Amino acid sequence: MKTQLESGKPFEWKKVGLVFEPTIPGFTHGSHPCAIHFKDDIFVVTFTCRDANRRSHVFLSYALVTDGKMILMGEPKLALSPGPTGYFDCDGVISVCLIAHEGRTYLYYVGWQNLPEGLWICDTGRATLDPENLTLTKDFPGPVLGRDKMNPLFAAATAFYIDGNVWHTWYNSGVKWERRENGWHHHYGIHHAQSADGINWVCDPGMCIPFADEYEYAFGRPSVFYSEGLYAMWFAHRATKEIDTYRIGFASSFDGLKWERNDSVSGIDVSTVGWDSQMICYPYVFQHRGCMYMLYNGNNYGATGFGLAVME
């Protein structure tokens, strides 16, 4: 990966096609896909679907990953639903990152809570995955990272890496709400925090990656992959002067704190036609048997399901 970056050439992501197309009765979308190795060529995949009231729920499935392809196995299983009224996740739960540590596997998820006038809060919860039975159990009734003195609006952690005894997360924190003619408009960006246990976090001030210009206002689910002393981050971002929908950008770092952004080498963009021709977002990068994979969403924030790309 470091050699590829030094060459200055874009990463070569080859799109394989749709892995999941929303067909679950009573639900739409298939957003924020995540994957983690289970055994042999079998992975556990999580993704998020919306019910008739637009509340998000997390589903689990096994998937076969081999020869540059991913095939879901069996019917997806509903594993995590919104919490009780008034809780931080009462209006939805969104899968964002799976991570293994000391024999356990955790799903970090975003809990959604609607506020008046179209405002919302999305803070970070954690659940424990039982890969044998495809179940998730919430570790706490409240968030492990959320609104506090450093994050006055929300704190949605979406990428994680454990370095020895130090947990790192790159999370989206709200910057501001802006009143416009058609309602409230959000601004949020990627921040960094660290922890000794994955539960209690110390947040660094400021954004890891500044907005590119006055037109950019949001970053969607970053995915961080560490290799050869280098942190590589693929992330969704919007907007530009000409384009208001998400695209996937790229940044790199030697310490996970100071990032160099270079969207021109991200290596993946919208297609000419089809399910990801209008938008591309929410990347999730992982490796298996020496091959790099990216799960991602297309049009309308995952309304068309999620697909797979393979690095050549």
Side-chain angles (χ1 to χ4, degrees):
M1 185 171 296
K2 186 182 295 184
T3 302
Q4 176 71 25
L5 274 179
E6 290 173 349
S7 74
K9 298 178 180 178
F11 292 97
E12 297 182 12
W13 290 105
K14 178 184 177 182
K15 293 181 178 180
V16 179
L18 274 170
V19 173
F20 171 78
E21 188 172 357
T23 57
I24 300 173
F27 291 90
T28 65
H29 291 69
S31 71
H32 298 81
C34 316
I36 196 163
H37 185 250
F38 175 40
K39 60 183 178 181
D40 301 323
D41 291 326
I42 306 299
F43 277 67
V44 173
V45 175
T46 74
F47 55 92
T48 302
C49 300
R50 302 182 189 180
D51 64 21
N53 294 317
R54 295 175 55 83
R55 300 197 314 162
S56 295
H57 302 248
V58 174
F59 283 76
L60 294 176
S61 177
Y62 292 122
L64 177 66
V65 179
T66 183
D67 298 327
K69 298 179 181 179
M70 172 182 279
I71 302 172
L72 298 187
M73 305 166 63
E75 293 295 321
K77 180 181 179 181
L78 178 60
L80 203 66
S81 292
T85 300
Y87 280 48
F88 84 104
D89 56 356
C90 62
D91 292 313
V93 288
I94 302 171
S95 53
V96 288
C97 190
L98 287 163
I99 189 164
H101 182 63
E102 296 183 347
R104 292 179 176 267
T105 301
Y106 302 102
L107 173 72
Y108 284 89
Y109 67 94
V110 169
W112 195 276
Q113 188 176 42
N114 291 319
L115 299 177
E117 297 190 54
L119 302 176
W120 41 263
I121 303 169
C122 53
D123 289 334
T124 309
R126 196 180 82 168
T128 297
L129 169 71
D130 178 351
E132 297 286 349
N133 296 297
L134 278 188
T135 60
L136 287 166
T137 303
K138 294 180 181 179
D139 291 343
F140 308 97
V144 295
L145 179 62
R147 288 191 297 171
D148 60 13
K149 59 184 178 296
M150 298 294 291
N151 304 287
L153 298 181
F154 56 82
T158 59
F160 292 83
Y161 177 72
I162 304 172
D163 181 11
N165 295 320
V166 180
W167 296 58
H168 295 270
T169 184
W170 295 268
Y171 68 98
N172 273 320
S173 181
V175 175
K176 67 176 180 178
W177 286 97
E178 178 185 6
R179 182 66 133 170
R180 295 186 177 180
E181 290 183 3
N182 59 347
W184 289 101
H185 183 73
H186 57 260
H187 296 254
Y188 54 85
I190 301 170
H191 295 61
H192 173 265
Q194 60 183 9
S195 170
D197 56 13
I199 300 170
N200 301 289
W201 296 88
V202 177
C203 300
D204 298 334
M207 292 172 58
C208 293
I209 303 173
F211 293 127
D213 51 36
E214 68 270 29
Y215 302 104
E216 192 167 72
Y217 61 88
F219 293 91
R221 206 259 298 263
S223 180
V224 174
F225 184 84
Y226 180 79
S227 176
E228 301 175 328
L230 184 76
Y231 294 86
M233 179 194 292
W234 281 267
F235 56 90
H237 63 97
R238 60 176 173 170
T240 68
K241 185 176 181 180
E242 296 81 18
I243 303 170
D244 192 43
T245 55
Y246 274 126
R247 297 295 187 269
I248 292 178
F250 178 83
S252 60
S253 172
F254 290 107
D255 60 7
L257 304 176
K258 299 177 181 178
W259 292 85
E260 181 178 347
R261 180 175 180 176
N262 186 357
D263 295 346
S264 66
V265 303
S266 71
I268 191 166
D269 203 346
V270 293
S271 298
T272 305
V273 296
W275 70 277
D276 61 351
S277 59
Q278 301 166 13
M279 176 188 294
I280 187 169
C281 58
Y282 309 144
Y284 193 89
V285 176
F286 65 97
Q287 187 179 48
H288 182 53
R289 299 193 188 279
C291 185
M292 293 287 293
Y293 295 86
M294 178 192 289
L295 294 171
Y296 69 96
N297 286 120
N299 303 344
N300 194 22
Y301 312 100
T304 53
F306 64 86
L308 180 73
V310 179
M311 188 178 293
E312 295 188 314

